[in-house]
Amino acid sequence: MNAITVKDLSKMYKLYGGSHYRILDFLGLARGRTARYYQEYWALKDVTFDIAQGSTVGVIGRNGAGKSTLLKLLSGASAPTRGEAIVNGRVSALLELSTGFHPDLTGHENIFASGLYLGLDRPAMEQLYDEIVAFAELGPFLHQPVRTYSTGMHLRLAFSVATSVPADIQLIDEVLAVGDTYFFGKCLQRFRRFQQEGRTTVLVSHDLGTILRVCTRCLWIERGAIVADGTPLEVITAYNQSIYEERDRAAEAGLSVSEVDLAPAQALRRSEAICMEGVEFVKAGGQLSRAFSIGEPMTVRIRYRSRMALPQAVVSVTVYRTDGLTVCNAISSMDGAHLELAEGRGTIEVAFDQLMLGPGEYTVSVGIYPSLDLADSASLQHAVIWHKPQTFLVRRLAGVALDLGVVRHPVRWRAFAGLEEKLPGAAAEEKR
Amino acid sequence: MNCFRMLFRHRHLVWRLTMLDFQVRYAGSRLGLLWTLLSPLLVLGAYLLLFGKILGVRPDSVLSGLDYALLMTCGLLPWLGFSEGVMRGTGSVLAQRNLMKSTVFPMELIPVTAVFAGLVGQLCGIAVLLLVLGARGMLGLAVVLLPLLVLVQALFTIGIVWFLSCVNILYRDTSQVVGLLMVLLMFLSPIAYTQAMVPAGFELLVTLNPLSYLIDGYRQVLLFNHVPNLTGLAVFSGLALSALLTGHRYFMRLRRVLPDFV
């Protein structure tokens, strides 16, 4: 039997030009003049699927794809514009962390208040109480007002209440991300228990690992429509592929996917003496590019203009991952390079003979210094001039969806029989 | 009549939600429930000082200062119950919007709860008033009609609040406007004065104000041991019923789309 049957489900939000248009529309005065009053935004359009009882379905997709709208419609909290969602059984939904908690009441009191909102009377709630408290593990905070809770405690209590009440269908939206690893493990156990009990679960998450671990099926939603529906492995692979392709396209087109300003605050400090006109990434053949393959040579070319000759300049090229991790830092003086910058226009090149970076996006910031003290950790910030960070991309290997890490380190593999290999040298030593 | 069935079916839930409303309101406050008695007493004191002592208002029908105080209390208590219900109720759905977003909770109960929470103060006040009246031997058989008055008042308030709480979501200025109107209405209602004291030419202010029928009803029943003016009571009951029915229809019609606006 299907726990959920969704047919041609659509949800349109009206984006009003102003709040008075909303009132006019409500009074029925906006008919026939739609375009002037609001724009239509279809968060979901003609979505059709069934969910069998007892299955655990993950929903993935980019921000604004319509995942949360779908859960709201399934929970009945929002009404569809067209189509229908038939849900067989009792629903328990955890769509937002704030759900129904009164900040001034204690956790203990809020458990019973939530019971009221979920339609459970006090005796029923008392039966569930021990389970809820044990799972939430709030310790002494159980009898403190909820406003004193950390986000994690809030999540633990909300999740514990929502998943402990009797239900046939469990809806969970994107809240698990704030929990720690320990609590996350407990959540996974609970999802497995639901599977054994035959409770149907629909889970929205950006953490593809979670979906892969607990779900039996995965839906990928994009711009309000289902793009893929199948086993988590299939769908997630396809999803990753599309994201990488989009990144590649953006990179090839010379657009920075996410130009994070990673350099220190004075990144664009003006200098009278010298200015940088551009930072480019050059392929082996000499053509400019922003996308490289693992192991490919990449040259960073810096074009500058100086009013005077700088006979002892130091140049740094720092590669960051987009989350701010410093991946590597090339400093000309450390590499024994003696750079003489001529007056007028000039070019500096630093060659990465083989890119040993894992697939992903990287940001490069370039600084020029009159001199650099390697012993002073802050000296990197005292550049004469910084260039705005530039982004390049290391392409994913075809057919590999695994996370390969930051460094594609050169390694050698071998295998041999036994526990220890007798090396010729070691054997000679033994004899002696 | 759907709304009567709904209210009856959820009567336990409404009761517990009202208790919860109190729990939330006084969580962390020291005097707690005592406030529900203290605040009407303070307002009454201020009224007595202003109208009884400073302005020297004294209706013809009463002689002593205490009688005037009782007359005023009979008007003030239903007024406080009404205005608190309306003001709390107007903002109630917006304040509890998270319930609307993520659970399948009968939202129509939220304004109802606010009205009942507003009534609790009034009922506590009436209990004290009954003690005073009883001690002075002023209570008569007509007091059995009191629950009827409270009921009609509650239905009237619920109807209004069902409407206002929806409007407040679409148009957030509503609660501000309602707050102002309540201040005006307080002076336009015969709380510190009686209908008889309104000068000629201004009677419309009283006859068009539904609350004057309600307040007069309370006075007749509590102070004069009279059956209330039946026409007045009938008019008010009719108003209450139509407010309740239209308010409920309006709320239930908007209920489905409201979550998109909070």
Side-chain angles (χ1 to χ4, degrees):
Chain A
M1 195 190 80
N2 286 330
I4 299 172
T5 308
V6 169
K7 201 161 179 305
D8 299 326
L9 193 66
S10 304
K11 177 75 187 179
M12 188 261 285
Y13 288 104
K14 295 173 177 176
L15 307 178
Y16 292 95
S19 64
H20 50 290
Y21 290 136
R22 174 198 291 180
I23 306 291
L24 286 178
D25 188 29
F26 255 92
L27 298 172
L29 297 175
R31 293 219 178 93
R33 299 150 81 182
T34 323
R36 277 185 50 204
Y37 284 94
Y38 55 78
Q39 288 181 302
E40 293 188 352
Y41 176 77
W42 289 88
L44 274 185
K45 203 153 190 184
D46 303 326
V47 169
T48 301
F49 63 88
D50 297 322
I51 292 179
Q53 196 226 322
S55 51
T56 309
V57 178
V59 181
I60 59 173
R62 270 162 256 212
N63 286 329
K67 307 182 295 291
S68 299
T69 305
L70 176 65
L71 283 205
K72 269 188 201 162
L73 292 175
L74 290 182
S75 75
S78 178
T81 312
R82 277 208 314 254
E84 54 180 355
I86 304 163
V87 176
N88 294 314
R90 212 183 148 132
V91 178
S92 166
L94 183 56
L95 302 191
E96 270 170 49
L97 269 188
S98 60
T99 307
F101 284 161
H102 293 281
D104 288 319
L105 295 188
T106 65
H108 167 87
E109 289 164 335
N110 264 307
I111 291 176
F112 288 100
S114 307
L116 277 187
Y117 300 137
L118 295 167
L120 291 166
D121 56 9
R122 197 163 174 110
M125 223 45 207
E126 264 158 9
Q127 281 195 340
L128 296 171
Y129 182 78
D130 288 339
E131 187 191 339
I132 293 174
V133 170
F135 192 83
E137 292 188 44
L138 294 171
F141 276 90
L142 181 62
H143 295 285
Q144 295 299 316
V146 163
R147 67 183 139 80
T148 62
Y149 284 22
S150 70
T151 322
M153 289 182 200
H154 216 116
L155 164 73
R156 298 210 297 271
L157 188 59
F159 185 88
S160 186
V161 170
T163 60
S164 298
V165 298
D168 306 305
I169 291 150
Q170 184 76 56
L171 307 175
I172 295 188
D173 190 2
E174 204 82 79
V175 287
L176 297 180
V178 298
D180 59 17
T181 320
Y182 167 71
F183 183 72
F184 183 67
K186 293 211 312 184
C187 295
L188 293 186
Q189 273 176 18
R190 193 151 268 210
F191 287 134
R192 300 223 168 87
R193 201 188 80 197
F194 288 167
Q195 283 168 354
Q196 285 157 13
E197 289 171 353
R199 197 191 279 209
T200 312
T201 310
V202 180
L203 178 73
V204 166
S205 181
H206 281 297
D207 180 18
L208 304 178
T210 310
I211 305 262
L212 212 49
R213 277 157 84 182
V214 294
C215 294
T216 52
R217 181 178 161 196
C218 183
L219 294 176
W220 167 17
I221 298 186
E222 202 67 70
R223 289 194 200 91
I226 294 183
V227 182
D229 177 358
T231 67
L233 191 62
E234 283 165 15
V235 177
I236 286 173
T237 311
Y239 176 65
N240 273 335
Q241 181 114 9
S242 103
I243 285 194
Y244 287 131
E245 275 167 12
E246 183 170 307
R247 254 199 224 172
D248 286 4
R249 269 199 305 276
E252 308 270 7
L255 299 167
S256 168
V257 183
S258 60
E259 214 151 39
V260 196
D261 202 9
L262 293 163
Q266 61 271 58
L268 290 169
R269 209 166 65 186
R270 298 264 169 263
S271 166
E272 290 292 309
I274 187 165
C275 69
M276 270 192 252
E277 294 185 315
V279 171
E280 298 160 342
F281 303 105
V282 189
K283 280 193 184 259
Q287 70 271 39
L288 301 185
S289 176
R290 289 212 182 223
F292 296 84
S293 306
I294 297 174
E296 200 184 340
M298 176 184 87
T299 301
V300 180
R301 185 186 288 154
I302 304 144
R303 300 200 185 278
Y304 69 90
R305 190 166 57 190
S306 180
R307 292 218 173 151
M308 54 185 177
L310 287 170
Q312 280 186 324
V314 176
V315 180
S316 75
V317 172
T318 314
V319 179
Y320 299 95
R321 198 165 63 183
T322 42
D323 63 358
L325 174 88
T326 309
V327 176
C328 63
N329 199 350
I331 296 162
S332 62
S333 61
M334 247 189 98
D335 295 328
H338 184 76
L339 298 182
E340 239 187 83
L341 305 192
E343 195 185 332
R345 293 197 162 178
T347 306
I348 307 162
E349 283 192 347
V350 51
F352 292 74
D353 288 337
Q354 261 192 315
L355 270 184
M356 290 184 184
L357 303 176
E361 210 184 316
Y362 297 91
T363 302
V364 170
S365 88
V366 177
I368 298 179
Y369 312 79
S371 68
L372 190 67
D373 178 9
L374 294 175
D376 178 6
S377 62
S379 64
L380 264 184
Q381 292 172 22
H382 301 133
V384 171
I385 181 77
W386 284 98
H387 194 267
K388 188 169 169 258
Q390 299 290 309
T391 315
F392 73 92
L393 179 104
V394 177
R395 274 198 213 92
R396 175 185 50 99
L397 293 172
V400 182
L402 285 178
D403 182 1
L404 295 179
V406 191
V407 179
R408 190 78 187 113
H409 202 285
V411 291
R412 286 183 301 113
W413 299 85
R414 56 200 189 112
F416 52 84
L419 296 176
E420 257 181 88
E421 194 191 18
K422 301 267 192 242
L423 293 167
E429 212 155 284
E430 243 170 52
K431 261 180 209 159
R432 227 188 296 160
Chain B
M1 294 297 123
N2 265 339
C3 53
F4 286 111
R5 213 177 312 140
M6 186 276 295
L7 286 175
F8 184 75
R9 198 176 62 227
H10 289 305
R11 62 195 183 280
H12 298 298
L13 186 54
V14 169
W15 168 250
R16 293 190 52 213
L17 284 171
T18 308
M19 293 298 103
L20 181 66
D21 189 288
F22 268 87
Q23 202 183 356
V24 171
R25 200 182 329 166
Y26 296 118
S29 94
R30 265 166 198 258
L31 292 180
L33 270 176
L34 215 56
W35 280 116
T36 54
L37 259 186
L38 274 178
S39 53
L41 270 180
L42 286 174
V43 178
L44 182 66
Y47 257 63
L48 276 178
L49 187 69
L50 176 65
F51 294 100
K53 293 289 171 203
I54 299 175
L55 296 177
V57 180
R58 195 58 46 96
D60 312 331
S61 56
V62 298
L63 301 166
S64 72
L66 181 64
D67 282 344
Y68 182 52
L70 291 175
L71 186 104
M72 210 181 310
T73 315
C74 281
L76 193 63
L77 287 174
W79 162 259
L80 286 177
F82 171 77
S83 69
E84 190 162 334
V86 169
M87 293 211 275
R88 285 185 171 282
T90 303
S92 62
V93 176
L94 191 63
Q96 300 269 56
R97 61 181 122 182
N98 46 11
L99 281 183
M100 186 145 53
K101 273 189 183 161
S102 39
T103 53
V104 197
F105 174 79
M107 272 322 272
E108 59 271 27
L109 295 185
I110 289 295
V112 176
T113 306
V115 170
F116 282 131
L119 274 181
V120 172
Q122 174 187 346
L123 292 178
C124 291
I126 286 182
V128 175
L129 180 65
L130 284 176
L131 285 179
V132 174
L133 291 174
R136 302 192 73 219
M138 290 172 75
L139 277 184
L141 210 59
V143 82
V144 296
L145 289 173
L146 188 66
L148 181 70
L149 286 174
V150 177
L151 180 72
V152 180
Q153 180 197 338
L155 297 182
F156 179 64
T157 322
I158 290 171
I160 290 179
V161 158
W162 264 335
F163 180 77
L164 287 179
S165 58
C166 278
V167 175
N168 188 47
I169 286 188
L170 304 176
Y171 210 60
R172 307 280 160 103
D173 307 51
T174 310
S175 57
Q176 306 298 324
V177 176
V178 167
L180 268 177
L181 282 180
M182 283 294 136
V183 174
L184 279 181
L185 198 57
M186 181 167 82
F187 290 106
L188 291 179
S189 299
I191 298 169
Y193 51 93
T194 60
Q195 272 157 296
M197 290 161 67
V198 177
F202 289 89
E203 293 101 337
L204 265 188
L205 277 182
V206 172
T207 41
L208 285 186
N209 180 357
L211 289 178
S212 55
Y213 301 109
L214 182 72
I215 291 172
D216 187 56
Y218 275 96
R219 281 188 180 141
Q220 296 297 336
V221 164
L222 286 170
L223 292 183
F224 306 114
N225 193 19
H226 273 178
V227 172
N229 174 348
L230 282 180
T231 340
L233 193 62
V235 168
F236 188 78
S237 304
L239 273 174
L241 203 63
S242 46
L244 191 75
L245 294 181
T246 39
H248 186 252
R249 251 209 3 232
Y250 188 76
F251 193 97
M252 294 322 273
R253 222 175 60 194
L254 287 188
R255 167 73 184 90
R256 285 169 64 78
V257 290
L258 282 183
D260 299 342
F261 289 89
V262 295

